[in-house]
Amino acid sequence: MSASPSAIESVLIENRVFPPPEGLVKTARISGMAGYEALCAEADKDFEGFWARLARENLQWTRPFTKTLDESNAPFYQWFADGELNASANCLDRHMGTPVESKTAIIFEADDGAVTKVTYKELLARVAQFANALKAQGVKKGDRVLIYMPMTIEGVVAMQACARIGATHSVVFGGFSAKAVQERIIDAGAVAVITANYQLRGGKELPLKAIVDEGIAMGGCESIKSVLVYERTPTAWNRVDGRDKSFAEALAGQSTECVPVAVEAEHPLFILYTSGSTGKPKGVQHSTGGYLLWAKLTMDWTFDLRPDDVFWCTADIGWVTGHTYIAYGPLAAGGTQVMFEGIPTYPNAGRFWQMIERHKVSIFYTAPTAIRSLIKAADSDEKVHPKNWDLSSLRILGSVGEPINPEAWMWYYKNVGGERCPIVDTWWQTENGGHLITPLPGATPLVPGSCTLPLPGIAAAIVDETGKDVPNGSGGMLVIKRPWPSMIRTIWNDPERFKKSYFPEEMGGKIYLAGDGAVRDAKTAYFRVTGRIDDVLNVSGHRMGTMEIESALVAKSDLVAEAAVVGRPDDLTGEAICAFVVLKRARPTGEEAKQIAAELRNWVAKEIGPIAKPKDIRFGDNLPKTRSGKIMRRLLRSLAKGEAITQDTSTLENPAILDQLAQNN
Ligand code: 6R9
């Protein structure tokens, strides 16, 4: 077979090296490898002193902390625990009376191209007023608030307003279903929902409020006392009297001043649900102090943000990247950022490049899946190729969400960055709070497809199942051996699951297990993350649990008897979801199979959200199982890829099933 090398293989043979631009080495905060090594040495020498210094320099504390790290109840680590601060004050109030006060905080570009700008001073007034509106609804410190909002300034205002009064927000991505909204309301015990009547994406008006209503109507959401509705469009929405208010009604008469509530450093700033390898999504709980330190610090370290930069992170606020690099980091660092409501392909696939030119974006942070789809679009239509726009304002590019294949990296480097902008390939997870392994633009020589080296103080390593280091050049499991300030604090409502998921006993119970496979280069010791090693899929940079999709499929109990979900490599989305389904009736073929597959896809979209729709659905009379009844997923993975089965199938109870499942219905 003369197959072209897969993404992983081409990473393994990658030997191009791109040194940091000289100008940037001179001016960057972390200058050259010597600058990086000096910080690493400082962290090595006095771990707690290092973090204490940074926490004092980067954040404003209303009550200074005296203890930096408390490991007495590991892995429930505590950072800066006796200190007090407010996250919103650290993003907004701190800039008042400085030149940042009148600077543009957010340049908002709507789906239709309309632009709205807000200064720091104006943003503070809006956040304070909204915080007062929340208080008037009875929301107080420690309450949980669910946010289901479109990408709008109001979305950031809602998050910041919660932070201002010490309420813990839980943002749900606007593409998730009513059921997902219901489950998160129940798990978090939310008292209020902040939503919009509709969201605008790609010229379409999509409902949000109606989905909230549907979720609440599913039951168990009695904790919800109020629903605040941002009227994004003039379209009417259904009002539940006594519970629902429009933003305008909630804000009427509220003062634009609101004293921020000081909270303990460990106070939960937010809960963000993410997929795990088993069962329902996990409510990842983050702190206020350690998290915010990371948001600010990585803006300075990874992006080397400067006063005249225009930063643009294309993530949605419903994901962790949108939390750290839209709602908190850029504001804490006093930067100007672009926020975009729409999608990269509307009105055409040149939208990103056009926006970079229009707003003179200097730091651009996006996902490999977006880059790959824009490469494809540019290949088939010259008119949307980035060369048609002036991208000379760019100085740093970033990538996040999944491994970036060297081909996409090179295209991004050449065609977007004009071969002058370093690409920071930032590896991190919802649980990490912010970048952990990443190049530094003024220091690290780049290798396409490698996230290079851990940030100072981050004890990243690659180990075997027992927690022992593997030599460079051999693959293993990515772990972080020491705590860091912005780490997950617990899984909301489930501390046992937190311990079990991330701090396995076999490794001593104190080492953070990321769930990713990785390898370090034999020469450079650079990290290359190869993808998840658990039952989590990464589809277009979105995390999906295979079990979650399986449960959704079997929940269609009139039709589905059994389902198994695996991932298979996909050129565009990184991984694609492939479901093997056994129906309660005879195995369908031809048109009937197509029709039932479509029905099941829509079902999954309703249960979880459209992003969880399986790309392939194959029907079988049964699934490949061992004699003890275990589904042999590795065989399903091979079948999904269209590979010949070379594995040992001697333990299989029903080997004949493989031929049937190898066929695409
Ligand atoms: C920030 C975010 C986390 C998972 C993670 C890994 C993958 C993210 C990556 C990367 C290789 C990178 N991932 N960044 N893999 N290189 N630069 O995406 O958080 O949604 O929780 O996903 O994404 O597999 O474990 P989250």
Side-chain angles (χ1 to χ4, degrees):
M1 267 194 352
S2 64
S4 64
S6 73
I8 296 310
E9 282 163 348
S10 59
V11 168
L12 295 175
I13 58 170
E14 185 58 63
N15 53 18
R16 289 168 285 203
V17 178
F18 298 83
E22 260 171 50
L24 212 51
V25 176
K26 286 208 191 89
T27 59
R29 282 185 187 81
I30 302 183
S31 167
M33 287 309 275
Y36 168 70
E37 279 152 18
L39 281 171
C40 294
E42 185 189 343
D44 266 355
K45 201 162 148 239
D46 178 9
F47 189 68
E48 289 192 37
F50 176 69
W51 295 121
R53 169 176 79 76
L54 291 166
R56 287 188 188 112
E57 286 173 6
N58 284 282
L59 298 178
Q60 290 186 346
W61 298 85
T62 43
R63 183 188 142 132
F65 58 90
T66 60
K67 175 127 186 73
T68 302
L69 171 63
D70 181 351
E71 303 188 76
S72 59
N73 191 24
F76 299 93
Y77 297 99
Q78 298 211 323
W79 286 89
F80 320 118
D82 61 350
E84 286 184 3
L85 77 168
N86 179 280
S88 162
N90 269 280
C91 291
L92 300 168
D93 307 59
R94 72 180 296 169
H95 303 305
M96 297 306 115
T98 80
V100 177
E101 178 180 291
S102 52
K103 181 175 168 171
T104 301
I106 302 177
I107 303 169
F108 173 70
E109 182 163 321
D111 191 53
D112 67 2
V115 171
T116 321
K117 294 183 184 179
V118 52
T119 66
Y120 272 89
K121 197 172 179 179
E122 289 159 355
L123 189 61
L124 171 58
R126 283 170 67 171
V127 167
Q129 193 181 28
F130 200 80
N132 286 328
L134 285 175
K135 282 201 280 189
Q137 297 305 308
V139 180
K140 52 183 194 313
K141 181 184 169 195
D143 285 345
R144 274 82 57 209
V145 175
L146 192 108
I147 298 179
Y148 190 58
M149 284 286 277
M151 282 290 289
T152 47
I153 295 175
E154 284 71 13
V156 173
V157 168
M159 294 165 81
Q160 284 280 341
C162 288
R164 195 162 188 88
I165 61 172
T168 299
H169 59 68
S170 184
V171 183
V172 178
F173 172 59
F176 276 123
S177 66
K179 179 120 184 284
V181 169
Q182 177 217 21
E183 283 170 357
R184 286 154 176 75
I185 288 175
I186 296 174
D187 191 74
V191 300
V193 178
I194 305 172
T195 187
N197 59 341
Y198 285 88
Q199 59 179 331
L200 294 168
R201 285 170 69 84
K204 292 199 201 87
E205 202 171 325
L206 307 165
L208 286 175
K209 166 67 164 66
I211 295 175
V212 170
D213 287 350
E214 200 186 326
I216 294 177
M218 287 174 169
C221 298
E222 293 71 28
S223 58
I224 296 294
K225 299 288 176 281
S226 56
V227 176
L228 300 182
V229 184
Y230 167 50
E231 297 178 303
R232 176 67 189 94
T233 69
T235 317
W237 46 280
N238 180 53
R239 179 188 292 267
V240 176
D241 284 328
R243 188 196 74 185
D244 299 354
K245 275 198 174 76
S246 71
F247 267 34
E249 290 158 355
L251 290 167
Q254 295 298 343
S255 156
T256 54
E257 277 172 37
C258 170
V259 179
V261 174
V263 301
E264 315 77 65
E266 284 294 319
H267 182 72
L269 179 62
F270 65 87
I271 304 165
L272 184 58
Y273 287 83
T274 189
S275 294
S277 51
T278 53
K280 54 177 192 149
K282 312 185 258 203
V284 172
Q285 179 182 320
H286 275 287
S287 69
T288 300
Y291 171 80
L292 202 66
L293 171 63
W294 214 257
K296 162 73 167 62
L297 205 56
T298 48
M299 287 305 299
D300 287 349
W301 281 358
T302 314
F303 296 120
D304 195 42
L305 189 84
R306 298 285 158 181
D308 48 2
D309 270 319
V310 177
F311 177 79
W312 181 18
C313 165
T314 67
D316 192 282
I317 51 166
W319 307 116
V320 74
T321 306
H323 279 58
T324 309
Y325 299 106
I326 295 176
Y328 291 104
L331 300 177
T336 294
Q337 68 174 319
V338 171
M339 192 176 178
F340 177 42
E341 180 179 41
I343 58 173
T345 49
Y346 177 81
N348 61 54
R351 185 73 183 262
F352 275 6
W353 323 131
Q354 183 200 25
M355 283 181 63
I356 291 171
E357 176 185 283
R358 184 179 191 190
H359 303 296
K360 301 202 166 42
V361 171
S362 57
I363 306 174
F364 180 63
Y365 190 35
T366 195
T369 188
I371 297 166
R372 287 193 301 266
S373 76
L374 297 178
I375 294 175
K376 200 174 160 205
D379 280 351
S380 61
D381 180 4
E382 282 254 300
K383 289 199 294 297
V384 297
H385 192 282
K387 70 183 175 201
N388 298 298
W389 287 273
D390 175 8
L391 306 181
S392 60
S393 55
L394 288 170
R395 62 182 201 95
I396 293 169
L397 301 175
S399 173
V400 61
E402 54 180 317
I404 179 164
N405 48 307
E407 295 72 21
W409 195 102
M410 285 308 304
W411 188 92
Y412 193 30
Y413 186 73
K414 280 193 185 142
N415 297 294
V416 182
E419 297 183 57
R420 41 164 228 288
C421 309
I423 298 178
V424 289
D425 175 3
T426 60
W427 177 85
W428 62 293
Q429 315 172 287
T430 304
E431 293 87 343
N432 306 154
H435 309 150
L436 291 193
I437 310 181
T438 176
L440 299 167
T444 320
L446 305 171
V447 172
S450 167
C451 53
T452 74
L453 296 168
L455 287 176
I458 296 300
I462 301 179
V463 301
D464 63 18
E465 300 75 43
T466 61
K468 225 176 82 224
D469 283 346
V470 301
N472 288 353
S474 334
M477 296 185 270
L478 180 55
V479 297
I480 314 292
K481 291 188 162 178
R482 296 191 81 169
W484 66 99
S486 65
M487 68 195 299
I488 174 176
R489 292 310 197 259
T490 187
I491 292 176
W492 182 260
N493 271 342
D494 206 346
E496 274 312 306
R497 191 174 175 198
F498 166 74
K499 281 205 279 193
K500 255 180 63 191
S501 311
Y502 304 113
F503 298 92
E505 278 303 324
E506 311 84 80
M507 294 186 187
K510 289 185 181 180
I511 291 180
Y512 174 82
L513 178 70
D516 277 335
V519 56
R520 298 186 76 160
D521 186 84
K523 269 202 252 126
T524 57
Y526 276 13
F527 285 77
R528 280 182 241 122
V529 174
T530 48
R532 304 289 305 191
I533 47 172
D534 52 10
D535 290 320
V536 172
L537 306 182
N538 191 326
V539 182
S540 296
H542 299 151
R543 266 168 77 167
M544 304 296 332
T546 51
M547 306 281 235
E548 226 179 310
I549 306 168
E550 286 166 12
S551 319
L553 284 166
V554 296
K556 184 135 186 65
S557 54
D558 55 333
L559 194 60
V560 177
E562 206 175 6
V565 169
V566 297
R568 65 161 169 79
D570 183 282
D571 283 349
L572 220 53
T573 56
E575 265 187 307
I577 302 169
C578 191
F580 294 87
V581 176
V582 181
L583 295 182
K584 286 187 170 167
R585 59 167 101 157
R587 171 175 179 258
T589 53
E591 270 313 304
E592 195 199 0
K594 279 205 189 104
Q595 206 187 320
I596 297 180
E599 190 183 338
L600 290 178
R601 275 192 199 98
N602 291 338
W603 171 266
V604 172
K606 269 204 101 57
E607 285 285 293
I608 304 173
I611 52 172
K613 280 188 187 178
K615 186 158 182 184
D616 300 343
I617 297 187
R618 292 192 202 175
F619 298 103
D621 294 323
N622 210 330
L623 295 173
K625 288 182 190 158
T626 61
R627 291 194 181 88
S628 59
K630 247 183 138 132
I631 297 174
M632 294 186 75
R633 286 166 192 282
R634 59 185 173 83
L635 295 181
L636 291 177
R637 274 184 218 115
S638 297
L639 290 174
K641 272 197 242 175
E643 273 175 7
I645 303 287
T646 53
Q647 297 103 322
D648 175 20
T649 54
S650 58
T651 56
L652 208 59
E653 202 200 317
N654 49 350
I657 200 71
L658 295 178
D659 284 340
Q660 190 182 68
L661 292 173
Q663 297 157 28
N664 231 334
N665 304 320

